[in-house]
Amino acid sequence: VAKEGRALEFAAQEFQADKDIVLAAVNQDPREFYSVLEWAADELKADKEVVLAAVRVNMNALEHAAKELAADKEIVLEAINRHGAYILRWAAQELKADKEV
């Protein structure tokens, strides 16, 4: 996954649950129509460090983040700053009504 982040899709579940491996995959995530966060274990989709790293490199990462992180203002603002307002489609409803967002 250090060379091809998408390899996480085919990795064993133990690797999909390993934070270091998932972060390495996220850092190799091309800006395409998927995010390697999709194949991370659920507990890592709820890990703020992992999700922040993912939204920094891939505009679709927020779609696969845990709901509570889609409601995290810092994460949503980072995603918007990197990729534009399109990200709001995956943000929590309360953030869509937030004037700062």
Side-chain angles (χ1 to χ4, degrees):
V1 297
K3 292 185 180 188
E4 177 63 47
R6 189 168 182 173
L8 188 65
E9 177 181 6
F10 308 105
Q13 287 182 345
E14 67 186 85
F15 297 133
Q16 293 173 339
D18 183 296
K19 186 173 182 174
D20 292 330
I21 290 173
V22 171
L23 283 170
V26 160
N27 288 323
Q28 292 302 318
D29 197 6
R31 293 184 173 114
E32 295 185 16
F33 295 107
Y34 69 88
S35 168
V36 299
L37 193 59
E38 178 178 357
W39 301 296
D42 288 343
E43 62 266 18
L44 293 178
K45 292 177 183 181
D47 183 296
K48 188 169 182 173
E49 179 185 0
V50 171
V51 173
L52 259 176
V55 300
R56 286 182 176 134
V57 297
N58 189 292
M59 67 183 290
N60 296 304
L62 193 61
E63 176 182 14
H64 303 290
K67 289 186 187 277
E68 63 268 16
L69 292 182
D72 184 293
K73 192 172 188 174
E74 178 186 2
I75 288 175
V76 172
L77 285 174
E78 181 68 25
I80 290 170
N81 286 335
R82 298 280 178 147
H83 307 291
Y86 177 79
I87 296 304
L88 285 172
R89 73 184 295 171
W90 297 301
Q93 201 62 35
E94 63 267 20
L95 288 180
K96 292 178 183 179
D98 186 322
K99 288 183 180 182
E100 291 180 25
V101 174

